[in-house]
Amino acid sequence: MSSVRIGERAGEALRVLGAASPAAVDIFTGILTHGPLSRTDVAKATGLSQAAVTKAVAPMIAAGLIVDHDPAPRGGPRGRPANPIKVDPASLVVLGIKVNPGEVIGVATDLGARMLVSAHQPVGRSFDAVVEGVAEIAERLCALLGDRRERLAGIGVSVSGDVDSRNGLVRESALLGWTGEDLGGALTERLSVPVLIENDVRALTIAEHWFGEGVGTSSFAIITIGSGIGCGLHVNGEVVEGAFGVAGEIGHLPLTSERFVCTCGRRGCVEAVASTGAIVRAVAEAGGVRDGHPVATIAEAVALAHDGDPVAVEVFDRAGTVIGTAIATVANLTGPEIVLITGEAVSDYDLYDQRLRAAFEAHAFGAAGRCRIVLRPHAFEDWARGAAAAVLQGIVQQRYTAN
Amino acid sequence: MSSVRIGERAGEALRVLGAASPAAVDIFTGILTHGPLSRTDVAKATGLSQAAVTKAVAPMIAAGLIVDHDPAPRGGPRGRPANPIKVDPASLVVLGIKVNPGEVIGVATDLGARMLVSAHQPVGRSFDAVVEGVAEIAERLCALLGDRRERLAGIGVSVSGDVDSRNGLVRESALLGWTGEDLGGALTERLSVPVLIENDVRALTIAEHWFGEGVGTSSFAIITIGSGIGCGLHVNGEVVEGAFGVAGEIGHLPLTSERFVCTCGRRGCVEAVASTGAIVRAVAEAGGVRDGHPVATIAEAVALAHDGDPVAVEVFDRAGTVIGTAIATVANLTGPEIVLITGEAVSDYDLYDQRLRAAFEAHAFGAAGRCRIVLRPHAFEDWARGAAAAVLQGIVQQRYTAN
């Protein structure tokens, strides 16, 4: 029997969120993502009357979800009190867990997606071992939360691959070697708490849209570089999901020579030259040697390139060029306002920067080239925080119900 | 003084549509795009009560916009009358005009975007000449409409390029050689009737979404092949516009060899090998000869390929491959349910088909490959009909006001 359960002190807040009207959901989302707002500003932003706003937020205030921003209100510009209100981030807590091959990383965050505690642990490669590992880390996170576990409102888990979030299914994950696994069902049964399953890049995109650089932008893309090259797209106010669950597969755009074969079996994919695995292989095959043996890790390939080894530099140049070309492709097709680059390889971004920007500028079409490319430092916990953001969004948008 | 004016018999219908609540707009859109529906079905689809639906449609029925589908209602499945209602397509008429280099094509359609009359005429290349030509064809279309001109509700004009639809500006049109032209302002002044300006591919996408293959799909793309290669994307319920007005620029994705230089100046663009101009040039440069002279038109290049000339066949093969690769790129990034292929080159689609599908299958990633590729016969009036659909949508969604 699992010790993880929805917190007793989360109950009333969850009941209020679950019963909120569509307008009240909009209002809460606006206050949550944009920070302290006066009722007047909320009314303006949502097109509702101020009376309707007051009525909608009343149960949220009673449940502790919304509080006065400034307990001693000063006069507004015309002498009337402005009365800004804000979400109390401490009112709810969620868990977000990222499954990697051989490892799970978990965080607990507050309602503002701020990380409270984190943990990681090795797991076996089988599906059952992963289910067990996720359950164990959820229990550890709850223990680390102490009294705050009484606010626990939900659990999100993210994995790489083709995920059917609505039904909790992992349809296909090449990285984990899974096909058609009911991860949501297995975890919900193991933990006796509903578990939301989401694609990892989509989860990261939700985190940026609600709690990061994406707030207030009409559209943005997040590009992750590392052992895979991923892309989350946000267009017309929503994450692009794809009619068949596939979207943002920037790693498998055919943007390089057909002579490069990808791990997916296709030719010319971006990942075939720009994933960390492809970089290591290319440097080793071209004779790259570090400490007397062929380069075997990305750290060694990076060190060789930093030392100016022409073979290693050329491999990183090729990776930077194809990533920049891929970003131009995203810009020409969907026209994002901002492109965020993140992922574990961001720490070595200096090796990509010049060729990436040159390729982007060479191929971005007209005004599409005005999109800002923003580098974002990456922590491994970010993926887990994405899963937390996904379940927070699921709670607010009434797609995730904790009981 | 122009003889074009908003029709006297359109006034009340336009007033009702302009004053409709957001819920009433949704209801009208549902009935317009999905055809006859019972009030019960409308209530179900919109989440409103049946009483709210009845109240919302009452003024629309009074204004003649909505009528009983079946004047002698039979019993529904439980013996109660089903009372389906539908939009009366004859209640309003709009004009749609497409500007091409040296030519304007215009149609008048009913409220269901069904073509009623059409016309085309040559125009000069200058901006002023185009304004004059559009005004003249609008007058001709009104004359052709006869009594139905009394239902005229709006005018839409579409052009290729970067269009700021909200402000009626053509920011950049390489095809027309325009930069920063206030086409909406000039036409509205010339005709004394507001004119909606829209990008041509976006207008075509609106037509498919409301009145064509796109109805009821979660997302679709429309690919136009011809003198340019364009793409309209429909994602999350809306046309993708791009934060800077650029999106769907499939013609300028860098998907072929850098040795091919595009008319835009960039290298490796799809259009550099697949536009009709590029095909003609490539066949001629490779020694393609027809009737004793180097190939000079797309019709001659097509004839040569149909005769099995290896040079011409190879050029079309290359075009088909890059278009198929571009469609896979769109599928991998945005995951459409359907891809419609249209445009003037569709009439010679047999020359593209095999390589196009092979390239799509080679590069589509996982479930993204399940998107249906549908060929759509193309008439030149389709572009003009797109402009008509854009203004119909503008009227219903209250972005276009006729007075």
Side-chain angles (χ1 to χ4, degrees):
Chain A
M1 179 66 196
S2 158
S3 63
V4 178
R5 61 182 60 86
I6 298 302
E8 280 179 22
R9 299 190 60 197
E12 178 59 12
L14 287 175
R15 202 195 56 73
V16 166
L17 288 173
S21 67
V25 169
D26 277 358
I27 290 169
F28 187 75
T29 304
I31 301 172
L32 176 62
T33 59
H34 286 88
L37 290 173
S38 70
R39 285 172 179 80
T40 320
D41 290 338
V42 174
K44 253 185 236 159
T46 55
L48 295 164
S49 73
Q50 218 170 321
V53 172
T54 297
K55 189 178 160 203
V57 299
M60 293 171 176
I61 291 174
L65 286 162
I66 289 182
V67 292
D68 280 326
H69 175 50
D70 184 353
R74 288 174 304 259
R78 293 185 204 162
R80 292 185 309 168
N83 270 344
I85 49 179
K86 66 176 182 185
V87 166
D88 179 6
S91 57
L92 291 179
V93 170
V94 294
L95 306 186
I97 299 164
K98 168 75 195 295
V99 177
N100 288 325
E103 176 196 47
V104 289
I105 303 178
V107 301
T109 79
D110 64 17
L111 181 49
R114 198 170 55 94
M115 230 176 354
L116 303 173
V117 298
S118 70
H120 58 105
Q121 66 179 60
V123 292
R125 299 267 168 165
S126 74
F127 178 75
D128 290 345
V130 168
V131 169
E132 195 49 39
V134 170
E136 283 170 15
I137 206 167
E139 285 163 6
R140 276 178 60 198
L141 290 166
C142 281
L144 289 167
L145 278 170
D147 285 353
R148 289 174 296 188
R149 65 192 293 176
E150 293 306 325
R151 302 279 187 178
L152 185 66
I155 303 175
V157 170
S158 72
V159 303
S160 152
D162 179 358
V163 173
D164 173 359
S165 170
R166 188 178 301 264
N167 297 304
L169 301 177
V170 180
R171 284 191 288 226
E172 176 96 52
S173 174
L175 207 62
L176 298 170
W178 294 353
T179 306
E181 295 285 8
D182 182 7
L183 183 60
L187 282 171
T188 299
E189 192 181 321
R190 169 68 178 76
L191 287 167
S192 308
V193 171
V195 177
L196 179 97
I197 312 295
E198 187 53 277
N199 166 273
D200 55 356
V201 180
R202 220 147 59 195
L204 216 52
T205 312
I206 292 168
E208 287 299 330
H209 179 225
W210 273 30
F211 305 106
E213 291 277 349
V215 173
T217 63
S218 62
S219 59
F220 70 94
I222 180 163
I223 312 266
T224 62
I225 57 176
S227 59
I229 315 282
C231 172
L233 284 172
H234 210 276
V235 172
N236 292 341
E238 285 174 61
V239 174
V240 177
E241 308 227 333
F244 306 106
V246 172
E249 283 293 350
I250 195 177
H252 302 283
L253 299 184
L255 292 174
T256 189
S257 162
E258 298 256 319
R259 73 191 159 94
F260 297 104
V261 179
C262 187
T263 50
C264 76
R266 293 174 189 80
R267 290 178 170 276
C269 291
V270 169
E271 282 191 8
V273 299
S275 73
T276 49
I279 288 172
V280 171
R281 266 194 312 281
V283 173
E285 279 168 17
V289 170
R290 184 83 185 163
D291 301 333
H293 65 82
V295 160
T297 68
I298 188 69
E300 288 171 351
V302 165
L304 215 56
H306 277 153
D307 288 351
D309 178 276
V311 160
V313 167
E314 191 192 329
V315 169
F316 278 98
D317 279 354
R318 192 163 59 213
T321 297
V322 80
I323 295 171
T325 306
I327 295 174
T329 299
V330 171
N332 292 358
L333 277 183
T334 66
E337 193 175 329
I338 299 179
V339 171
L340 289 169
I341 302 181
T342 186
E344 60 265 33
V346 156
S347 51
D348 312 307
Y349 183 76
D350 59 305
L351 293 170
Y352 303 91
D353 182 55
Q354 207 182 343
R355 294 300 177 104
L356 186 153
R357 287 185 191 267
F360 175 76
E361 278 160 27
H363 294 299
F365 187 74
R370 283 161 55 194
C371 93
R372 281 195 297 134
I373 298 181
V374 178
L375 214 61
R376 194 156 164 61
H378 177 75
F380 267 96
E381 288 85 1
D382 286 352
W383 293 104
R385 179 173 171 267
V391 75
L392 286 171
Q393 190 184 68
I395 291 168
V396 173
Q397 293 182 343
Q398 303 171 340
R399 283 178 289 104
Y400 175 92
T401 313
N403 32 32
Chain B
M1 179 65 197
S2 158
S3 65
V4 177
R5 61 181 61 85
I6 298 303
E8 280 179 20
R9 300 190 59 198
E12 179 58 13
L14 288 175
R15 203 194 56 70
V16 166
L17 288 174
S21 67
V25 168
D26 278 357
I27 291 168
F28 187 75
T29 303
I31 302 172
L32 176 63
T33 59
H34 287 87
L37 290 172
S38 70
R39 286 173 178 81
T40 320
D41 290 338
V42 175
K44 253 184 233 159
T46 54
L48 295 164
S49 73
Q50 218 171 320
V53 172
T54 298
K55 188 177 162 206
V57 297
M60 294 172 175
I61 291 174
L65 285 162
I66 288 181
V67 292
D68 280 326
H69 174 51
D70 184 353
R74 288 174 303 260
R78 292 183 205 166
R80 291 186 310 168
N83 268 345
I85 48 179
K86 65 176 182 183
V87 167
D88 180 5
S91 58
L92 291 179
V93 169
V94 294
L95 307 186
I97 298 164
K98 168 76 196 293
V99 177
N100 288 325
E103 176 196 47
V104 288
I105 302 178
V107 300
T109 79
D110 65 15
L111 181 49
R114 198 171 55 94
M115 229 173 357
L116 304 173
V117 298
S118 70
H120 58 104
Q121 66 180 61
V123 292
R125 299 265 169 166
S126 74
F127 179 73
D128 291 345
V130 168
V131 169
E132 195 50 37
V134 170
E136 283 170 15
I137 206 166
E139 285 161 8
R140 279 178 60 198
L141 291 166
C142 281
L144 289 167
L145 277 170
D147 284 354
R148 288 174 296 188
R149 67 192 292 176
E150 293 307 324
R151 302 281 187 177
L152 185 66
I155 303 175
V157 170
S158 72
V159 302
S160 151
D162 179 358
V163 172
D164 174 358
S165 168
R166 189 178 301 265
N167 297 304
L169 301 177
V170 181
R171 284 190 289 225
E172 176 96 52
S173 174
L175 207 62
L176 298 170
W178 294 353
T179 305
E181 294 286 7
D182 182 6
L183 182 60
L187 282 171
T188 298
E189 191 181 321
R190 169 68 178 76
L191 287 168
S192 308
V193 171
V195 177
L196 179 97
I197 311 296
E198 188 52 279
N199 166 275
D200 55 355
V201 180
R202 220 149 56 196
L204 215 53
T205 312
I206 292 168
E208 287 299 331
H209 179 226
W210 273 30
F211 306 106
E213 291 278 349
V215 174
T217 62
S218 62
S219 59
F220 71 94
I222 180 162
I223 311 267
T224 62
I225 57 177
S227 59
I229 316 283
C231 172
L233 284 172
H234 210 276
V235 171
N236 292 342
E238 285 174 62
V239 174
V240 177
E241 308 228 334
F244 306 106
V246 173
E249 284 293 350
I250 195 177
H252 302 283
L253 300 184
L255 292 174
T256 189
S257 161
E258 298 257 320
R259 73 191 159 95
F260 297 105
V261 179
C262 187
T263 50
C264 75
R266 293 174 189 81
R267 290 177 171 276
C269 291
V270 169
E271 282 190 10
V273 298
S275 72
T276 48
I279 288 172
V280 171
R281 266 194 311 281
V283 174
E285 279 169 16
V289 170
R290 183 84 183 163
D291 300 332
H293 64 82
V295 160
T297 67
I298 188 68
E300 289 171 351
V302 165
L304 215 57
H306 278 153
D307 289 350
D309 177 277
V311 159
V313 167
E314 192 193 326
V315 169
F316 278 99
D317 279 354
R318 193 162 59 212
T321 297
V322 80
I323 295 170
T325 307
I327 295 174
T329 298
V330 170
N332 292 357
L333 277 183
T334 66
E337 193 175 330
I338 299 180
V339 171
L340 290 169
I341 302 181
T342 185
E344 61 263 35
V346 156
S347 52
D348 311 308
Y349 183 76
D350 59 305
L351 294 170
Y352 303 91
D353 182 55
Q354 208 182 343
R355 295 300 178 103
L356 186 152
R357 287 186 192 267
F360 174 77
E361 278 160 29
H363 295 298
F365 187 74
R370 283 161 55 194
C371 92
R372 280 195 299 133
I373 297 181
V374 178
L375 214 61
R376 196 159 162 61
H378 177 75
F380 267 97
E381 288 84 2
D382 285 353
W383 293 105
R385 179 174 172 266
V391 74
L392 285 172
Q393 190 184 69
I395 291 168
V396 173
Q397 293 183 342
Q398 303 172 341
R399 282 178 289 103
Y400 174 91
T401 314
N403 32 31

